[in-house]
Amino acid sequence: MKIFGLTGGIASGKSTVAELFREHGISVLDADRLYHQLIEPRNAKPSPLAQQLAATFGDILDQEGRINRQALGDRIFGDTNARQKLNALTHPAVAKAFNEAIDDLKKNGETLALYDVPLLYEVGKESQFAGVIVVWVPEALQRERLKERD
């Protein structure tokens, strides 16, 4: 099976490019979506990954067992050590979920997939793909798109 990576900066148009691939029948896996699935509560309890994050970073869960992103962000932004701890927990979990999803695609006879990974180069994963598609837009357009989005 050939798997291509898709990456690019915030508000660069990665989602638009991913949708074009979907429209052509190519399976698209999204690292952010995998992560969010991993931290969603299960059976009215925090997921195993959410529990690990709470054990590491303290009071970051709301009453429904969801990650309070603001509380987690307050603990990791500006703290390289804390961000490394977060990555050490989340990156392997997302990689495992990705591998399981790829196994499912292979079982279904898929021969081609695209993996949307915003930090593909930053985490050194580019060599594990058949190729990498980088979405780029001029900075002024990127800023404009970001303002419209957020």
Side-chain angles (χ1 to χ4, degrees):
M1 171 174 217
K2 283 192 175 187
I3 306 164
F4 289 85
L6 174 66
T7 195
I10 189 168
S12 64
K14 289 183 307 292
S15 297
T16 301
V17 172
E19 186 56 35
L20 292 170
F21 277 86
R22 281 188 194 95
E23 288 173 6
H24 285 88
I26 296 169
S27 295
V28 178
L29 301 171
D30 182 314
D32 289 337
R33 191 168 292 149
L34 291 173
Y35 168 72
H36 287 106
Q37 290 169 350
L38 289 168
I39 61 170
E40 274 299 304
R42 299 197 173 99
N43 302 319
K45 294 182 182 177
S47 72
L49 181 56
Q51 290 176 37
Q52 286 181 305
L53 294 173
T56 302
F57 298 105
D59 186 24
I60 59 166
L61 298 177
D62 67 17
Q63 294 171 331
E64 287 83 35
R66 287 185 167 76
I67 300 287
N68 177 327
R69 293 175 68 171
Q70 181 67 44
L72 180 58
D74 289 347
R75 286 168 177 79
I76 66 154
F77 290 115
D79 184 337
T80 302
N81 187 42
R83 194 167 37 257
Q84 288 173 342
K85 287 179 184 179
L86 176 68
N87 291 341
L89 291 169
T90 59
H91 289 193
V94 171
K96 181 180 180 203
F98 167 75
N99 289 328
E100 290 169 355
I102 289 297
D103 288 344
D104 289 343
L105 292 175
K106 287 177 183 177
K107 288 176 189 172
N108 290 327
E110 298 282 339
T111 59
L112 184 61
L114 186 70
Y115 189 33
D116 183 349
V117 187
L119 299 176
L120 184 130
Y121 284 101
E122 290 82 350
V123 297
K125 298 291 185 184
E126 66 275 7
S127 64
Q128 70 184 131
F129 298 100
V132 175
I133 299 162
V134 178
V135 181
W136 179 89
V137 294
E139 186 176 335
L141 178 57
Q142 188 176 21
R143 287 179 193 271
E144 184 178 311
R145 290 172 55 107
L146 187 58
K147 284 179 189 175
E148 288 175 15
R149 188 182 88 183
D150 296 339

